[in-house]
Amino acid sequence: MKTITYISPEEAVKAIKSGDHVHLSSVASAPQTLIKAMVERGRNGELKDVHIHHLHTEGPAPYADPELEGIFQLDSFFVGGNVRKVTQAGAADYIPIFLSETQKLYRSGVLPCDVAMIQVSKPDQHGYVSLGTSVDATLAAVECARTVIAVVNPNVPRSFGDAMIKIEDIDLFCEDDTPLEEAHFTTPNEIEQAIGKYCAELIEDGACLQMGIGAIPNAVLAQLGNHKNLGIHTEMFADGVLPLVESGVVNGKNKRIDRGKIVSTFLMGSQRVYDFINDNPGVLMMDVGYTNDPFIIAQNPKVTAINSALQVDLTGQVCADSLGRKFYSGVGGQIDFIYGASRSEGGKAIIAMPSVTNKGVSKIADCLTEGAGVVTTRSHMHYFVTEYGAVDLYGKSLQERAKAIISIAHPDHRESLEKAAYERYGSHYTYIKMK
């Protein structure tokens, strides 16, 4: 077994050269001690033209500071909250990519990976460490990088699946005992609870669930206490899943692949979630190329995928990545799971969102805002849910879709939307009946 020699973060980041492409492990596992040391080298004039890549990360992102232009260039795979403003301002950038294919960027050689900076659990007696809360594209980065630098942190949970890597795969080791970043979510409000109720009514016993993290997913999960034999195959999960596991509602008995296992590629939540996956053989943290492959997703029956949106137009086009021309998040895994669920036997693909913004502006529009991106196409759209109900758009004509979508718009905006639909489709629209 390889003997580990620990060095300081400052010494470790000397492996980074000007012009290198550097991958950072994601979400709660962002290696902050290495990030700090790397940025300090940049501020001291030792580096230039270093490209940073990652999915969304929690905590500080000093490499995206506009003052470091020409030293670091962030090209992220998903625009997280900590880099949103600088990305919108053009000081950082975004690579549009399906989450399932982020790993392919490295493995295919389309995107270089010179240095991978990761955070891992303490080595076990067999010479393995775990990537803990985030496998995603980081495993591919470890495989492809010229140099792998790992922060060994006792707070990183020892998760299984593809998360386990050999210490021989790591070149340089540092130590840190900083707790992982936690996320705490607000209690769902009345609108989110209503959306959760309508989504929960679409979920059948034996379904295999995918949903994100936040108020609406938590509202859905809170209403599944009387369901039976649910499974989880998702890209991420948080605290809301745990009560359902503890009560036996989530047991994975109906899954055809990874039966009895919770499958995810990263997670974000409280310390309780991190403790839950630690040494838990019931949770598999897998490569994103596995979790988000639509053809793998579809192998489980009754896959029910619940995703959110920023805006939906009257034809069923879904914008989930941008506010007009300003990028807000990214493509993520939405289409991976929408398509996977639609191919699943008895599967359901659901887009759920409040009908209006916090300022009362309708999120349902005649046309998407100029510059807005279409993440889920109208032909992929199945179920659509707001606090006013759920409609199934699959197989419906454009005019039938408009009627259905307007029926769950906010009452204050239905008249104007009906007028827009009439202007688009003409007098025949008045004869269309909802099915």
Side-chain angles (χ1 to χ4, degrees):
M1 187 186 303
K2 180 177 179 178
T3 301
I4 296 177
T5 300
Y6 292 100
I7 61 176
S8 69
E10 293 74 19
E11 187 68 24
V13 298
K14 289 180 180 178
I16 302 172
K17 302 175 182 178
S18 293
D20 275 355
H21 287 251
V22 177
H23 176 86
L24 305 179
S25 55
S26 308
V27 199
S29 288
Q32 292 296 340
T33 187
L34 292 175
I35 291 171
K36 182 179 178 181
M38 175 186 67
V39 170
E40 191 62 28
R41 281 195 71 201
R43 292 188 186 279
N44 291 339
E46 300 175 33
L47 293 172
K48 63 179 181 179
D49 195 30
V50 174
H51 297 261
I52 308 296
H53 307 290
H54 56 63
L55 274 72
H56 113 259
T57 60
E58 294 292 321
Y63 44 82
D65 191 326
E67 294 180 358
L68 297 176
E69 186 175 3
I71 299 173
F72 299 108
Q73 169 61 40
L74 171 62
D75 298 318
S76 59
F77 304 148
F78 189 89
V79 182
N82 58 350
V83 297
R84 187 167 293 139
K85 288 184 178 180
V86 292
T87 302
Q88 291 175 349
D93 211 345
Y94 160 65
I95 298 175
I97 186 81
F98 295 131
L99 199 66
S100 59
E101 294 187 5
T102 54
Q103 49 77 33
K104 187 178 179 181
L105 290 175
Y106 292 139
R107 289 178 172 137
S108 67
V110 168
L111 197 65
C113 184
D114 300 295
V115 178
M117 300 206 303
I118 65 177
Q119 191 160 216
V120 300
S121 68
K122 294 175 66 175
D124 63 21
Q125 67 269 33
H126 304 294
Y128 283 83
V129 294
S130 176
L131 293 170
T133 61
S134 295
V135 177
D136 46 75
T138 296
L139 181 61
V142 169
E143 293 171 359
C144 299
R146 179 190 72 232
T147 304
V148 178
I149 309 172
V151 177
V152 176
N153 189 331
N155 295 298
V156 174
R158 185 171 177 266
S159 63
F160 297 119
D162 290 335
M164 284 290 182
I165 60 175
K166 295 180 179 180
I167 59 174
E168 282 81 7
D169 295 331
I170 299 168
D171 300 294
L172 302 172
F173 293 85
C174 305
E175 291 182 287
D176 187 29
D177 61 359
T178 303
L180 300 185
E181 294 279 344
E182 296 183 62
H184 300 281
F185 305 101
T186 59
T187 301
N189 59 31
E190 289 185 9
I191 291 175
E192 291 156 347
Q193 289 177 1
I195 293 170
K197 175 178 177 292
Y198 287 119
C199 288
E201 290 173 353
L202 293 172
I203 297 172
E204 302 176 32
D205 288 343
C208 184
L209 304 181
Q210 175 266 331
M211 58 186 66
I213 54 179
I216 291 178
N218 284 345
V220 177
L221 293 166
Q223 301 193 50
L224 299 179
N226 293 322
H227 279 62
K228 298 177 182 178
N229 300 328
L230 299 179
I232 303 287
H233 182 112
T234 187
E235 63 191 24
M236 56 182 172
F237 69 91
D239 295 62
V241 167
L242 303 190
L244 297 177
V245 176
E246 293 163 355
S247 66
V249 171
V250 169
N251 55 34
K253 288 183 178 180
N254 200 47
K255 295 177 72 176
R256 289 202 186 119
I257 59 171
D258 303 315
R259 192 169 186 268
K261 308 288 188 181
I262 294 174
V263 174
S264 185
T265 194
F266 65 89
L267 54 86
M268 183 72 197
S270 71
Q271 186 61 43
R272 188 166 172 241
V273 179
Y274 308 151
D275 292 340
F276 171 71
I277 71 168
N278 185 51
D279 271 325
N280 187 347
V283 179
L284 300 179
M285 299 297 294
M286 302 297 288
D287 187 296
V288 72
Y290 179 84
T291 60
N292 285 52
D293 184 331
F295 297 95
I296 290 174
I297 293 166
Q299 292 179 42
N300 280 313
K302 296 184 179 180
V303 172
T304 304
I306 302 174
N307 288 272
S308 61
L310 296 171
Q311 191 179 46
V312 173
D313 76 8
L314 292 183
T315 72
Q317 292 188 121
V318 177
C319 173
D321 63 353
S322 58
L323 298 169
R325 296 180 180 181
K326 291 186 176 182
F327 273 87
Y328 185 83
S329 54
V331 173
Q334 181 169 122
I335 199 66
D336 294 334
F337 278 93
I338 290 289
Y339 187 49
S342 69
R343 292 180 59 89
S344 163
E345 179 184 341
K348 295 177 181 177
I350 302 169
I351 295 293
M353 72 174 191
S355 63
V356 295
T357 68
N358 293 334
K359 296 181 179 180
V361 177
S362 180
K363 298 178 74 170
I364 296 172
D366 173 32
C367 297
L368 296 180
T369 303
E370 183 180 356
V374 176
V375 171
T376 293
T377 72
R378 58 175 71 97
S379 56
H380 284 102
M381 184 67 139
H382 285 221
Y383 289 92
F384 179 42
V385 177
T386 73
E387 70 270 29
Y388 293 102
V391 291
D392 185 1
L393 305 180
Y394 188 64
K396 289 183 169 58
S397 70
L398 292 173
Q399 296 183 46
E400 290 169 338
R401 283 168 172 247
K403 285 281 186 185
I405 290 170
I406 293 170
S407 75
I408 59 171
H410 193 284
D412 291 350
H413 297 283
R414 290 178 191 173
E415 183 177 348
S416 62
L417 290 170
E418 285 283 6
K419 182 180 178 181
Y422 182 87
E423 290 176 351
R424 177 184 289 212
Y425 298 116
S427 60
H428 177 71
Y429 175 75
T430 61
Y431 297 99
I432 295 295
K433 304 293 184 182
M434 283 183 56
K435 295 178 182 178

